[in-house]
Amino acid sequence: MLVYLRLFKESFSFAINALRNNKLRTFLSLLGITIGIFSIIAVLAAVDSLDRSIKDQLSGLDKNTMYLTKYSFGPTEVPRWQRENFPQVEYNDFEFIQRNITDYDAMAYVIFGGSENLKYEANTVSGVTVTPVSNGIYDIENFKVEKGRFYTESESNSGAPVIVLGSATAVNLFDNINPVGKTIRVYGRKMSVIGVLKKVGSGLGDSPDERAYVPANFVRRFKNGGADGLPGAVIIKPKKNIDFDAFESVLKQKYRAYRGLKADEPDNFFVNKLSGLTDFIDGIIGFMNGAGWVISGFSLLVGGFGIANIMFVSVRERTNLIGIQKSLGAKNKFILFQFLFEAVILSVLGGLIGIVLVWLVSLAATAAVTDFEFILSFYNIFLGFSLSTFIGLLSGVIPAFSASRLDPVEAIRTGM
C-alpha cells in the first residue's frame, strides 16, 4: 500500500513540475477546458434558474385549474382555420357554467385585454396590462393584498368603476403616495383605486406586479368580448380530492349541450389545464437543456482535443527523460500516472476556474436583475467537477499509455 502511495506522490510531483515549466502551454490548455466547463454549467444553471422561477410563479395555482376558451395553450391537432372559427367564450357562458357545474372552489370570467394608459393627475403610466376579470380570480390566483382590498362579488357583478393595482404599477403611478381612495383614468374613464397587491416578482409572462385588475362587467359596458373580438375565458378551480377527469367530462358534456353541438360534431372550445401547461414548459426546459449540452459539448470537445494534443507534445519532448527514468528502474505504472496526472490536473483546474467564473456571473446577474435569482446548485458544481475530471482522464489516457510503453533504449536514442 505504501509503495502505491509513494508512486502516486512522485507521479503527482512530476506532473506539477511539468506544468510549472511550461506555463504558456498550461495556460492555453486551461483556457480550452475552462471555456467548455463554463459554457455547460452556465447554460444548465441559467435553465435551472428559469425553470425554478417559472414554477415558483405557478406554485400558488392549483395545477388542476381549468381554462375554458376558444384557444389551446399547447400544441393541438385541430387545424388553425377551424380554431379561428370557434365562437368566443362570453359572459353568458360563464353564467351558465356557474349555474350548472358543482364541485368547484372558485370560478372567474376573464377578458384578455391589451395594454392601457393609466393617468393620475400629471402622472401617466403607459403600456399597463389591465385585466378585466370577475372577483373569483382572487381565490384562484391566491392574491395577497398589501393595501386596501380586492373588489367584492357585488362590485364585480354590477361592474363598479374600481381598480386594483399591482405593486410595480402603483409605484410607477403614485411614487410614495398611498393609492387607495385615489381616482385615476383608465379607458378614458374615471376609476377608484381600492387596493394594491403584494409584490410577487417576475415570472412566466407579465407579472401581476405590472398589471391592474378591473371588474369584467365594467369593461363589458363598452367592450364586448364577442363583438369586439376580445378573447374571453372561464377559469375554474375544482375542489380537491375529486375525480378531475370526471369533472372535466361533465363540464364538456354540459357546455356542448349549451352550445347545441351534436354527438358527431367536434368540440368548438378547449379546456386547458395548468398541468398541461407545466408539462409543456417542462418539455421546453428539457429542449433548452439538450440544446445547451450539444452547444457546450463542442466546447468541451475542443478543450479535450487541446489537452490530448498538448500531452502528445509533452510526451515527445520528454521522450529522452522517459527513457532515462525507465533505465533507472521506473515502472510503466509510474510513467503512466505521471502523464495521466498531468492531464487530470489541467482539466480539474480548468473546470474549477470555469465554475468560479459561473459563480461570479451568477452573483452579478442576481444583483443586476433584482426580481430574478440566478441559482448555481451543488448538482451543477459537482457535474462540472466530474466532467472536467472525466475529460482529463479521457484526453490523457492514450498519450500516457503510449509514454508508458516506450522502450528505454529507443526512447534515449530518439530523445538525443
Side-chain angles (χ1 to χ4, degrees):
M1 186 66 181
L2 292 175
V3 174
Y4 282 102
L5 289 175
R6 184 179 299 172
L7 175 64
F8 276 106
K9 181 181 177 182
E10 292 179 358
S11 299
F12 186 80
S13 299
F14 267 95
I16 292 294
N17 289 331
L19 295 176
R20 286 176 179 173
N21 295 333
N22 298 278
K23 293 183 176 62
L24 180 60
R25 182 190 300 168
T26 301
F27 171 75
L28 293 175
S29 302
L30 285 175
L31 186 62
I33 201 69
T34 296
I35 293 174
I37 294 297
F38 174 83
S39 301
I40 283 185
I41 304 306
V43 169
L44 294 180
V47 172
D48 287 348
S49 302
L50 179 62
D51 185 33
R52 182 174 298 187
S53 176
I54 291 172
K55 288 182 176 177
D56 285 345
Q57 289 295 309
L58 297 176
S59 62
L61 298 176
D62 191 330
K63 287 189 176 181
N64 293 297
T65 299
M66 301 177 181
Y67 289 74
L68 177 66
T69 180
K70 68 171 288 184
Y71 300 103
S72 174
F73 289 177
T76 175
E77 296 179 357
V78 181
R80 181 176 179 180
W81 65 266
Q82 191 172 348
R83 283 179 278 141
E84 289 178 347
N85 290 324
F86 285 176
Q88 294 283 6
V89 176
E90 300 187 27
Y91 193 79
N92 293 336
D93 303 315
F94 164 68
E95 291 181 317
F96 168 81
I97 294 171
Q98 200 172 35
R99 290 193 306 266
N100 291 274
I101 296 296
T102 58
D103 292 333
Y104 66 87
D105 283 332
M107 187 182 301
Y109 178 73
V110 59
I111 298 174
F112 298 111
S115 299
E116 302 290 339
N117 296 331
L118 276 60
K119 185 173 183 180
Y120 172 69
E121 296 181 349
N123 295 337
T124 300
V125 178
S126 303
V128 176
T129 301
V130 179
T131 304
V133 63
S134 60
N135 70 305
I137 196 66
Y138 183 81
D139 295 320
I140 294 174
E141 296 273 5
N142 291 324
F143 284 147
K144 299 292 186 297
V145 175
E146 182 178 19
K147 298 176 182 177
R149 60 180 178 83
F150 206 80
Y151 43 85
T152 64
E153 184 178 0
S154 175
E155 290 171 326
S156 177
N157 292 338
S158 64
V162 294
I163 186 169
V164 177
L165 305 177
S167 60
T169 303
V171 171
N172 293 336
L173 189 60
F174 289 94
D175 293 328
N176 296 322
I177 302 174
N178 184 359
V180 177
K182 300 295 189 295
T183 299
I184 65 175
R185 295 189 71 87
V186 190
Y187 303 110
R189 292 165 169 79
K190 292 182 179 181
M191 303 193 73
S192 177
V193 179
I194 61 170
V196 178
L197 300 178
K198 283 187 178 180
K199 182 178 180 179
V200 296
S202 61
L204 181 64
D206 291 334
S207 166
D209 299 340
E210 310 288 339
R211 290 175 173 263
Y213 297 87
V214 300
N217 280 345
F218 173 78
V219 176
R220 288 181 64 240
R221 295 175 183 172
F222 50 91
K223 286 188 178 182
N224 182 271
D228 290 348
L230 293 176
V234 178
I235 310 175
I236 309 165
K237 181 181 180 182
K239 289 182 177 179
K240 296 181 179 179
N241 303 321
I242 67 169
D243 189 334
F244 297 107
D245 292 334
F247 181 88
E248 182 180 355
S249 179
V250 171
L251 172 63
K252 287 184 176 181
Q253 181 182 2
K254 292 190 175 183
Y255 194 53
R256 282 177 57 87
Y258 174 74
R259 286 198 163 180
L261 295 174
K262 297 178 182 179
D264 58 342
E265 292 180 316
D267 295 339
N268 57 3
F269 57 89
F270 289 98
V271 177
N272 302 284
K273 288 191 289 188
L274 279 183
S275 57
L277 178 61
T278 54
D279 291 342
F280 181 65
I281 291 172
D282 288 341
I284 295 176
I285 294 296
F287 174 78
M288 292 172 64
N289 266 324
W293 271 102
V294 171
I295 295 171
S296 304
F298 284 108
S299 299
L300 269 183
L301 192 64
V302 171
F305 277 125
I307 290 177
N309 183 54
I310 286 174
M311 292 307 301
F312 275 117
V313 172
S314 181
V315 170
R316 186 174 182 81
E317 286 181 347
R318 288 151 56 188
T319 300
N320 185 44
L321 179 60
I322 294 169
I324 294 173
Q325 288 176 333
K326 298 193 77 171
S327 66
L328 294 176
K331 296 181 180 294
N332 289 350
K333 294 178 184 177
F334 178 81
I335 305 299
L336 176 72
F337 284 127
Q338 177 182 325
F339 286 93
L340 202 57
F341 275 140
E342 188 174 336
V344 170
I345 291 169
L346 274 173
S347 295
V348 169
L349 283 177
L352 290 176
I353 294 172
I355 292 171
V356 170
L357 288 177
V358 175
W359 177 69
L360 293 175
V361 169
S362 70
L363 292 179
T366 302
V369 185
T370 56
D371 290 335
F372 183 81
E373 183 181 3
F374 193 95
I375 300 168
L376 180 60
S377 65
F378 175 79
Y379 171 77
N380 285 333
I381 294 175
F382 177 76
L383 180 64
F385 183 81
S386 302
L387 272 176
S388 58
T389 305
F390 176 74
I391 292 297
L393 285 171
L394 197 63
S395 303
V397 67
I398 296 178
F401 183 76
S402 65
S404 68
R405 303 296 294 177
L406 287 173
D407 180 81
V409 176
E410 290 297 325
I412 293 174
R413 184 185 298 120
T414 303
M416 294 180 64

